Amino acid sequence: MRWTPQRRSVVAALSGASGHVTAAELVERCRDQDPTTTPSTVYRTLDVLEELGLVRHGHGADGREEFHVQPAVEHGHLYCSACGGRWEIAEGQAQAVVAAFASVDGFEVDLSHMTVVGVCGACARAGGR
Amino acid sequence: MRWTPQRRSVVAALSGASGHVTAAELVERCRDQDPTTTPSTVYRTLDVLEELGLVRHGHGADGREEFHVQPAVEHGHLYCSACGGRWEIAEGQAQAVVAAFASVDGFEVDLSHMTVVGVCGACARAGGR
DNA sequence: GGCCTTATTGCGCATAGTTGCAATAAGCGC
DNA sequence: GCGCTTATTGCAACTATGCGCAATAAGGCC
């Protein structure tokens, strides 16, 4: 694999981003560094980085792509359709969920891929949806 | 609300579609009936129909929008990243999953909104990922 | 049946993401 | 350091989706 300046740029933008980034945001960030950055290069670099296992992509509540640097622990995401809040699925909770899915046909869920939508406890108590 | 021919067209295309359809597919179908159909009209009609509660949208494994006619029972979707299979989450399974999410902070999951990705039992046993 | 209000449409443009292809340049071998 | 192979890039065009706005027409009112 060739270590080109534009790849450096993408990786730099990625690590400079805390948590999750949209592909579009990444393009933005890269352009801040180097205005000649082309979107397609960023997208393709992301694909490569993903193949290498350096990053993972998922989809936000609106289905848009989001990337996050591969963390030590896999983590899913929750989105509250009432308050718009987003947060990570707690460890224990994740295990319970994985177990729940596995219980039927041994389906091994990858919670990190998609944002799970619903109403958070606070909003639910406040009157829900 | 005005019952225009183009809305009829969209609804017809929707009911003619078994299960789930992509917005793009819907545009196609409408064009089959009436070649003058404009994409934006279809998208907007879908928004309206959703407000009325006639259809629901969710996101496939790739984050693309998918619509399904509001069924009697809410149902989530599973996607196997190994074999590409897709199927609905079984009733009991759904309950277990909802309970698992609720257990921590009372989060009320809406499983129907996003496709859950993972590896199905068969593929997992056959060697996983 | 004709008129008027205003919800809808259709057009043109904008954004997010993707792809084909020719031009470019990384990194290997010498 | 030089040249060669071929992975990568950049461009341009394209799909999916969404938005603003002026033109159109649905449906209520008379």
Side-chain angles (χ1 to χ4, degrees), chain A residues 57-77:
Chain A
H57 83 275
H59 299 275
D62 57 356
R64 290 257 193 267
E65 257 180 335
E66 279 185 353
F67 289 84
H68 51 96
V69 180
Q70 188 76 307
V73 197
E74 276 301 315
H75 61 281
H77 300 100

Side-chain angles (χ1 to χ4, degrees), chain A residues 60-115:
Chain A
D62 57 356
R64 290 257 193 267
E65 257 180 335
E66 279 185 353
F67 289 84
H68 51 96
V69 180
Q70 188 76 307
V73 197
E74 276 301 315
H75 61 281
H77 300 100
L78 294 175
Y79 170 79
C80 174
S81 55
C83 67
R86 318 163 113 282
W87 55 96
E88 301 187 358
I89 297 177
E91 286 264 10
Q93 196 173 23
Q95 281 172 14
V97 172
V98 171
F101 275 109
S103 68
V104 176
D105 188 31
F107 192 89
E108 297 176 354
V109 168
D110 171 13
L111 282 178
S112 73
H113 193 73
M114 304 286 271
T115 294

Side-chain angles (χ1 to χ4, degrees), chain B residues 40-122:
Chain B
S40 53
T41 298
V42 176
Y43 287 110
R44 278 183 294 212
T45 299
L46 285 170
D47 287 347
V48 174
L49 292 177
E50 194 160 12
E51 263 173 41
L52 294 178
L54 292 176
V55 299
R56 285 278 236 147
H57 83 275
H59 299 275
D62 57 356
R64 291 255 193 266
E65 258 181 335
E66 278 184 355
F67 289 83
H68 51 95
V69 181
Q70 188 76 306
V73 197
E74 277 300 316
H75 60 280
H77 300 101
L78 294 176
Y79 170 79
C80 174
S81 56
C83 66
R86 316 163 114 283
W87 54 96
E88 301 187 359
I89 296 177
E91 286 265 10
Q93 195 173 25
Q95 283 173 15
V97 172
V98 171
F101 275 109
S103 69
V104 174
D105 189 33
F107 192 88
E108 296 176 355
V109 167
D110 171 12
L111 281 178
S112 74
H113 192 73
M114 304 286 272
T115 295
V116 175
V117 180
V119 180
C120 71

